[in-house]
Amino acid sequence: MTENVVRERVISLYHIFTGEVEGPQSVPFVSSEPGSEGDVLPSFLHEQKISISSWDIEANLTGSPVTSVPFIQQPHLLPHDSLPLIEVLFPDFNLSTRRREAERYGLVVADQADWSDELCQFFGELALATRLGRVYSSLPDLYKVRHISHPHPFVLSARAYGFFPNFEDGWKIDLCLEPDRRIKSALPHIMLTASQPAQAREGSILYGELAVIVSVMHDRAIQPEVGSEEEMEKLGKLSRTDLEELDEVLNEKAPAFPNEQKFPLLLLSLVNPKHARILCAYMSDDLLVVKMSKIYSFEEKESAPIGLFLSWLFASPSPVVET
């Protein structure tokens, strides 16, 4: 299958999956049944050639040059200076404590706080925190990745949030990272965090998780080639002043990854009530492959697998063996 067909397939999946969703109303391919609310129906996955399977993220793949996913896990060790940051930044899920603190300021804490948003912000703050007086200035510096932020061409037309059928709140992308192109050739791999308003279940994929996957793949597929930092700055200014002209300029540009076949991404999915899992997705001809870890609890700071999740958030690109 040629790269043009793969790109068209990615764009088609994006429109199929997001086109019908214009608010919290129900759509036919997302369950509204108790116990599976928010899950994409298996029949729809089969119809759209989307494969989901389990993935053991704790298997010792570190250092292997070729893996079953297009990423290599970093050493599962937290830098020592991350520990005090975790103490400060980790969300306090003790509702009674929060309620007492809020009452001091005349505020009320809702019983159903959106913990997934807070956990997502925690990983973003921990990942990007500046280290003073260290050999490396931040974890992206240590692991040779780059924070994708405005005016990076990927974000010029990217969606950072979207509706979720049957839920008032939507999915939200918080942090996006990529291999640092100043150190190695530009690669399409993206590592990101996103929050979901729903509770995930083993063996099923949430609408919001799949929406994040197809949205990021789509935005990577249409990402324009930008030749310099100066040109990037100009496009960034256009995005704030003249969206119509920006669209015209972007439509005339060649894609940044014209020969890409897989559009790989790695997603830290933060879900309610206080849990998370990691998903890896890539194209295999016209099949969208999604591998999902088990669901981990982040209810207690001491037992939360923070180091494990960071070791994948900062993963390195790798060839993939088709299985």
Side-chain angles (χ1 to χ4, degrees):
M1 180 172 284
T2 66
E3 62 85 15
N4 285 336
V5 176
V6 173
R7 188 182 307 279
E8 289 168 7
R9 168 71 172 143
V10 167
I11 294 172
S12 173
L13 273 174
Y14 169 77
H15 289 296
I16 289 170
F17 202 69
T18 64
E20 292 186 41
V21 180
E22 300 177 349
Q25 298 83 9
S26 296
V27 294
F29 56 85
V30 178
S31 174
S32 58
E33 296 296 320
S36 63
E37 191 174 18
D39 290 342
V40 180
L41 298 180
S43 58
F44 180 82
L45 296 174
H46 178 75
E47 176 186 336
Q48 297 301 327
K49 296 184 179 179
I50 300 171
S51 166
I52 65 170
S53 60
S54 60
W55 172 36
D56 182 5
I57 61 171
E58 297 185 63
N60 186 18
L61 298 177
T62 302
S64 174
V66 180
T67 71
S68 63
V69 296
F71 295 90
I72 299 176
Q73 178 186 15
Q74 295 291 354
H76 184 185
L77 288 174
L78 279 172
H80 291 303
D81 54 8
S82 293
L83 300 179
L85 280 171
I86 292 171
E87 288 293 326
V88 172
L89 298 174
F90 191 81
D92 179 7
F93 293 134
N94 188 315
L95 189 59
S96 60
T97 300
R98 285 201 163 196
R99 187 174 286 118
R100 286 197 301 271
E101 289 296 314
E103 287 174 353
R104 292 173 54 194
Y105 300 96
L107 303 174
V108 176
V109 175
D111 288 338
Q112 297 297 324
D114 196 348
W115 302 119
S116 62
D117 274 354
E118 296 203 17
L119 198 54
C120 203
Q121 292 167 15
F122 161 73
F123 272 106
E125 292 172 351
L126 182 61
L128 299 181
T130 299
R131 269 75 171 169
L132 299 177
R134 299 290 191 273
V135 175
Y136 57 92
S137 61
S138 64
L139 292 183
D141 177 44
L142 174 64
Y143 293 119
K144 306 298 185 291
V145 301
R146 184 181 186 183
H147 178 212
I148 298 176
S149 60
H150 195 276
H152 190 291
F154 171 78
V155 303
L156 291 178
S157 57
R159 294 181 66 185
Y161 57 88
F163 293 114
F164 196 125
N166 308 316
F167 290 84
E168 289 300 323
D169 292 328
W171 55 266
K172 305 179 190 72
I173 295 174
D174 183 62
L175 174 71
C176 289
L177 303 171
E178 68 176 357
D180 195 334
R181 63 180 61 204
R182 294 168 297 181
I183 297 169
K184 58 189 76 174
S185 299
L187 293 170
H189 299 62
I190 287 187
M191 300 80 74
L192 69 149
T193 64
S195 62
Q196 303 291 337
Q199 182 174 342
R201 283 157 287 275
E202 304 286 2
S204 299
I205 188 168
L206 290 171
Y207 167 80
E209 291 174 322
L210 203 47
V212 168
I213 288 170
V214 298
S215 295
V216 170
M217 282 187 167
H218 167 268
D219 296 336
R220 203 58 149 172
I222 67 170
Q223 178 181 324
E225 178 63 45
V226 176
S228 66
E229 294 289 335
E230 291 76 15
E231 185 181 8
M232 193 182 298
E233 290 292 338
K234 289 180 181 178
L235 291 174
K237 289 179 181 177
L238 273 181
S239 70
R240 292 189 291 265
T241 59
D242 193 334
L243 292 178
E244 187 172 329
E245 183 179 349
L246 175 66
D247 287 340
E248 292 178 2
V249 172
L250 294 182
N251 287 335
E252 294 175 357
K253 288 189 168 294
F257 302 100
N259 301 314
E260 181 52 36
Q261 299 284 323
K262 296 191 179 296
F263 298 102
L265 66 86
L266 194 145
L267 167 64
L268 271 62
S269 179
L270 297 314
V271 300
N272 281 335
K274 307 160 190 175
H275 294 73
R277 63 180 169 191
I278 299 179
L279 297 86
C280 181
Y282 57 91
M283 296 301 299
S284 178
D285 292 333
D286 64 345
L287 179 70
L288 172 55
V289 177
V290 182
K291 296 178 181 286
M292 303 187 299
S293 78
K294 70 178 185 180
I295 299 169
Y296 290 83
S297 171
F298 280 79
E299 294 173 289
E300 301 294 337
K301 177 172 53 185
E302 291 72 22
S303 58
I306 299 169
L308 175 64
F309 273 54
L310 282 179
S311 72
W312 282 108
L313 180 60
F314 289 98
S316 299
S318 168
V320 61
V321 173
E322 300 290 355
T323 57

